[in-house]
């Protein structure tokens, strides 16, 4: 048990991702629910060159200009030498793009996206296909998936949003999702909270078309 680092890792912590940059290991964590009295925040644990280090240093980056509202999930990845993270906020049905720059030494910059039609988003996954960026979001309360098209740049501040629905009723309070390239097609897996099962989604006609489930 690594502890909570003096409260830096707080109650209602929800999403975590491990990343390695320049031979150093980090854990990026989001969580906190202001309605429950726990401030929303993003935090960093730095393990150094050894992921098994039991005394990592902890840094709280706070709420980044109040862009986070009960953040539930985070997806961190590197593109063209820079690190990005996308966070879904169940508290206000928005999601946030976080720009870490070329490393994790400085406080990141956050951009909030509003009016996306999300409904208690709890999972997000971002991927690139032939230079085109997509984010897929699981909406727990509407039992649906939303696709966000960024085009050829993750820095696009006006992405196109499409709700893909419940995929024939296969989704029942989806909690999280993961999408990957498999041979020449993309497939994904979604976990349903209410029915305790997992759904495979098949993008038979490309990521820009609704999948089957």
């Amino acid at each position: 048990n690594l502890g909570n680092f003096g409260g830096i890792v707080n109650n209602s912590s929800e999403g975590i991702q491990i990343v390695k940059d320049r031979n150093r290991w980090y854990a990026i964590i989001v969580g906190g629910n202001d309605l429950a009295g726990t401030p929303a925040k993003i935090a960093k644990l730095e393990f150094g060159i050894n992921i098994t280090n039991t005394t990592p240093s902890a840094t709280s980056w706070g709420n980044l200009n109040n862009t986070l509202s009960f953040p539930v999930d985070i997806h961190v990845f590197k593109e063209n030498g820079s690190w990005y993270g996308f966070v879904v906020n169940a508290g206000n049905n928005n999601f946030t793009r976080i720009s870490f720059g070329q490393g994790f030494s400085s406080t990141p910059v956050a951009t909030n996206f509003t009016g996306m039609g999300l409904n208690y988003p709890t999972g997000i996954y971002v991927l690139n296909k032939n230079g085109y960026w997509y984010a897929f979001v699981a909406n727990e309360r509407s039992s649906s998936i939303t696709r966000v098209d960024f085009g050829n740049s993750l820095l696009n501040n006006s992405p196109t949003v499409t709700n893909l629905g419940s995929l024939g009723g296969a989704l029942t309070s989806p909690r999280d999702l993961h999408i990957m390239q498999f041979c020449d097609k993309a497939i994904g897996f979604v976990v349903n909270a209410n029915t305790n099962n997992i759904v495979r989604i098949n993008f038979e006609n490309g990521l820009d078309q609704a999948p089957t489930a």
Side-chain angles (χ1 to χ4, degrees):
N1 188 337
L2 303 180
N4 67 4
F5 304 93
I8 290 179
V9 178
N10 58 0
N11 290 336
S12 299
S13 290
E14 291 274 354
I16 182 171
Q17 187 164 336
I18 306 297
V19 293
K20 186 180 184 182
D21 181 57
R22 302 172 194 176
N23 206 38
R24 302 185 70 84
W25 290 95
Y26 303 87
I28 310 299
I29 301 171
V30 294
N33 184 354
D34 291 289
L35 295 178
T38 306
K41 68 167 67 173
I42 180 171
K44 171 187 70 172
L45 302 183
E46 185 170 351
F47 292 86
I49 61 174
N50 189 351
I51 190 63
T52 62
N53 176 11
T54 58
T55 57
S57 61
T59 302
S60 172
W61 284 320
N63 196 339
L64 301 179
N65 296 322
N66 294 317
T67 54
L68 305 178
S69 177
F70 192 17
V72 175
D73 196 21
I74 183 170
H75 182 205
V76 179
F77 55 96
K78 192 175 187 179
E79 173 65 16
N80 293 329
S82 294
W83 288 94
Y84 299 92
F86 279 75
V87 178
V88 284
N89 298 294
N92 59 11
N93 295 322
N94 297 334
F95 75 88
T96 304
R97 182 185 64 221
I98 300 176
S99 301
F100 295 98
Q102 296 183 349
F104 298 94
S105 59
S106 302
T107 301
V109 176
T111 301
N112 212 31
F113 292 82
T114 62
M116 312 297 283
L118 306 179
N119 194 339
Y120 206 81
T122 52
I124 186 169
Y125 197 83
V126 183
L127 72 165
N128 183 295
K129 177 65 174 179
N130 297 327
Y132 202 92
W133 287 99
Y134 303 88
F136 291 86
V137 178
N139 300 291
E140 183 172 342
R141 288 184 177 163
S142 62
S143 293
S144 67
I145 291 177
T146 297
R147 186 187 73 232
V148 185
D149 300 3
F150 283 90
N152 58 12
S153 175
L154 285 170
L155 300 181
N156 177 5
N157 290 327
S158 301
T160 302
V161 180
T162 304
N163 188 286
L164 303 176
S166 66
L167 305 183
L171 305 180
T172 308
S173 300
R175 188 72 187 179
D176 203 2
L177 74 169
H178 185 97
I179 301 171
M180 71 196 81
Q181 293 294 136
F182 183 73
C183 294
D184 60 341
K185 296 182 179 179
I187 62 172
F189 293 90
V190 186
V191 286
N192 283 326
N194 280 359
T195 52
N196 298 321
N197 62 7
I198 186 169
V199 176
R200 185 182 69 224
I201 55 178
N202 305 301
F203 294 87
E204 301 285 352
N205 300 309
L207 290 170
D208 60 341
Q209 301 296 315
T212 59

